[in-house]
Amino acid sequence: MLLEQEPRLRELRVFDLHLSSWLEELKTGPVQVTPIQGDVTQAHQVAAAVSGAHVVIHTAGLVDVFGRASPETIYKVNVQGTQNVIEACVQTGTRFLVYTSSMEVVGPNVKGQPFYRGNEDTPYEALHKHPYPQSKAQAERLVLQANGRKVQGGLPLVTCALRPTGIYGEGHQIMRDFYLQGLRLGSRLFRAIPASVEHGRVYVGNVAWMHVLVARELEPRAELMGGQVYFCYDKSPYKSYEDFNMEFLGPCGLRLVGTRPLLPYWLLMLLATLNALLQWLLRPLLLYAPLLNPYTLAIANTTFTVSTNKAQRHFGYEPLFSWEDSRTRTILWVQGSTQ
Ligand SMILES: NC(=O)c1ccc[n+]([C@@H]2O[C@H](COP(=O)([O-])OP(=O)(O)OC[C@H]3O[C@@H](n4cnc5c(N)ncnc54)[C@H](O)[C@@H]3O)[C@@H](O)[C@H]2O)c1
Ligand SMILES: CC(C)[C@@H](O)CC[C@@H](C)[C@H]1CC[C@H]2[C@@H]3[C@H](O)C=C4C[C@@H](O)CC[C@]4(C)[C@H]3CC[C@]12C
C-alpha cells in the first residue's frame, strides 16, 4: 500500500524474521524495495535496518494467545523488540516511529468487563494477566514514553501507536482455520458465543491505510499526533465474533448452527480448561494449541467495540475500503485459500 499510496516514497525496507516470497514481486516498480531478513530481538540487526530511514513503521510482533510460544519469548519479541526499534531510531537519527499496538492493550480486561463502543478516552480498567496483552501494553507504553526523546542530531523523536481491533481480511489464518473446520463438520459451525456479544473488527486494508496516513502526517502534525494512540476502525458492522465471521464463511457455503450457544458457558470453560491442561501435559512431546482455551473463550465472550473519530479529527483518516469491498475481498480470499 505504501508503494501505491505514497508518491514521495524512495525506498521501502521490509525487515522480517520470515520474508515472504511475494516481496520479490514488489521490486518491479520505480521505488527501491529492500527485503531484510532479521530478528527484531537483535538490536544490532534492527539498527542496521533502520539507519537512514525517514519513518519506521514497527508492526512486527508475536501474536500468540494460543500458548504456542512461551511468555518469555512473547516478551522478548514484543517488548524487547520494540525497545530495540526505539533505540535504533534514537541512535541512527530516525525521527518518526509508528507502532502497531492492539485493542488488547485496553481490553477485554481480566474482570471480563465489556467495552461497549468506547473511544481512546473512555475510562476502562486495563488489567491483564495474559502474556500477549501484557506485552503489547508494555510495548505501547515504551513507544509513547519515547515521544520527544532526542535522536542522533538533536531533534525530537515523534511516536504514535495505532490500536487495531480484531483484524480480518486476506491472510487471516484463523478465518481460514474456521473455514476448514466447518468443511470437516459437514459445512457447519456450531455457535459457542451469544449473538449479543459485540466484537470490534477492522479490515486489514484499512489498518494498512491508517498506517500509511500516520507515516505521512506524523511530521507535519507532530505537535498534535506525537505521543498519541488511535484505534483502527472502519465501517465493519458490530457483531459477535462468530456472526461476523459468517459474513464471509456463509457465502463460502458454511452455516452457523444454533441461534444461541449449543453448550452452556460453564461446559465450554471446562472444555477450554481441559485443552489448557492437555497442552501443558503434552508440551514435552508435541505442541497442542487449539483455538479454544480459557483466554480465547473469555475474550470471545466479552463485548469489545470502538466508536471513535479521533483518527479522522487528527489526520483526516477515512476508511479506504468500504464494508462491502472489505467483505468481498475477504470472501474471495477465503474461497481461494483452500485451492
Ligand atoms: N491480527 C489481529 O487481529 C491484530 C489486531 C491488533 C493488532 N495486531 C498487531 O498487528 C501486528 C501484526 O500482526 P498480524 O496479525 O499481522 O500477525 P502476523 O504474525 O501475520 O505478523 C507478524 C509479523 O511479525 C514478524 N515477526 C515475528 N517475530 C519477529 C521477530 N522476532 N523479528 C522480526 N519479525 C518478526 C512475523 O514474521 C510476521 O511477518 C502485530 O504487532 C499485532 O500485535 C494484530
Ligand atoms: C473457540 C470459540 C470460543 C471461538 O469463538 C474462539 C474465537 C477466538 C479464537 C477469537 C475471538 C476473539 C479473537 C481475538 C480478537 O479478535 C482480538 C485480538 C487482538 C489482536 O492483537 C491479536 C488477535 C486477537 C487476540 C484475536 C485472537 C482470536 C480470538 C481470541
Side-chain angles (χ1 to χ4, degrees), residues 12-27 33-38 59 170-171 173:
L12 172 61
R13 295 178 194 164
V14 182
F15 178 92
D16 201 308
L17 197 61
H18 308 297
L19 290 173
S20 305
S21 54
W22 50 260
L23 282 173
E24 291 307 313
E25 296 158 26
L26 299 181
K27 290 185 172 182
V33 176
T34 312
I36 304 170
Q37 195 282 329
T59 200
E170 298 88 328
Q173 292 311 312

Side-chain angles (χ1 to χ4, degrees), residues 15-20 38-42 45 58-63 76-78 81 99-104 132 136 162-168 171-174 201-202 204 207 211:
F15 178 92
D16 201 308
L17 197 61
H18 308 297
L19 290 173
S20 305
D39 186 339
V40 75
T41 67
Q42 302 303 308
Q45 293 179 13
H58 171 37
T59 200
L62 196 43
V63 183
K76 224 174 125 189
V77 175
N78 293 350
Y99 175 58
T100 311
S101 180
S102 170
M103 60 176 259
E104 288 220 332
Y132 174 73
K136 293 301 288 186
L162 300 183
R163 292 172 174 169
T165 53
I167 299 176
Y168 70 94
H172 190 202
Q173 292 311 312
I174 296 176
R201 307 293 287 272
V202 61
V204 63
V207 175
H211 281 74

Side-chain angles (χ1 to χ4, degrees), residues 29-278:
V31 176
Q32 182 187 338
V33 176
T34 312
I36 304 170
Q37 195 282 329
D39 186 339
V40 75
T41 67
Q42 302 303 308
H44 64 287
Q45 293 179 13
V46 179
V50 165
S51 180
H54 177 230
V55 185
V56 170
I57 299 175
H58 171 37
T59 200
L62 196 43
V63 183
D64 181 22
V65 291
F66 307 108
R68 295 190 184 110
S70 67
E72 295 74 23
T73 304
I74 292 171
Y75 177 87
K76 224 174 125 189
V77 175
N78 293 350
V79 182
Q80 187 54 55
T82 298
Q83 187 60 45
N84 289 342
V85 172
I86 294 167
E87 292 311 321
C89 292
V90 169
Q91 288 161 23
T92 63
T94 294
R95 289 198 55 216
F96 303 102
L97 171 58
V98 184
Y99 175 58
T100 311
S101 180
S102 170
M103 60 176 259
E104 288 220 332
V105 163
V106 176
N109 63 19
V110 290
K111 297 179 178 176
Q113 292 164 331
F115 187 83
Y116 179 73
R117 306 195 187 181
N119 61 45
E120 290 84 353
D121 301 314
T122 302
Y124 186 81
E125 201 178 2
L127 277 180
H128 304 292
K129 276 188 189 157
H130 193 280
Y132 174 73
Q134 278 186 333
S135 70
K136 293 301 288 186
Q138 283 180 268
E140 181 187 281
R141 229 180 346 265
L142 288 172
V143 169
L144 301 181
Q145 287 168 352
N147 185 61
R149 273 184 67 177
K150 294 288 184 288
V151 303
Q152 196 262 349
L155 293 173
L157 178 63
V158 185
T159 69
C160 174
L162 300 183
R163 292 172 174 169
T165 53
I167 299 176
Y168 70 94
E170 298 88 328
H172 190 202
Q173 292 311 312
I174 296 176
M175 185 75 71
R176 185 174 180 276
D177 294 345
F178 277 121
Y179 180 50
L180 295 174
Q181 183 184 53
L183 293 177
R184 287 196 295 269
L185 294 171
S187 299
R188 292 174 300 181
L189 288 169
F190 298 92
R191 185 183 293 277
I193 310 295
S196 58
V197 177
E198 282 188 355
H199 236 259
R201 307 293 287 272
V202 61
Y203 177 59
V204 63
N206 288 322
V207 175
W209 172 233
M210 195 180 278
H211 281 74
V212 170
L213 272 184
V214 168
R216 181 186 299 166
E217 296 300 330
L218 202 48
E219 182 167 12
R221 302 177 192 232
E223 264 313 292
L224 176 65
M225 295 173 64
Q228 293 293 323
V229 295
Y230 301 94
F231 277 116
C232 296
Y233 63 91
D234 57 20
K235 302 279 191 237
S236 300
Y238 297 119
K239 288 194 172 205
S240 79
Y241 192 80
E242 291 172 330
D243 289 299
F244 190 88
N245 288 351
M246 288 312 293
E247 287 284 347
F248 318 108
L249 302 179
C252 293
L254 299 194
R255 67 186 179 88
L256 183 60
V257 176
T259 53
R260 54 187 146 93
L262 299 183
L263 296 177
Y265 185 77
W266 67 266
L267 184 51
L268 278 169
M269 189 49 84
L270 176 63
L271 292 173
T273 306
L274 286 174
N275 272 344
L277 179 63
L278 210 49

Side-chain angles (χ1 to χ4, degrees), residues 206 209 213 233-235 312 316-323 326:
N206 288 322
W209 172 233
L213 272 184
Y233 63 91
D234 57 20
K235 302 279 191 237
Q312 194 277 329
Y317 166 77
E318 292 294 347
L320 190 61
F321 300 90
S322 67
W323 157 239
S326 306

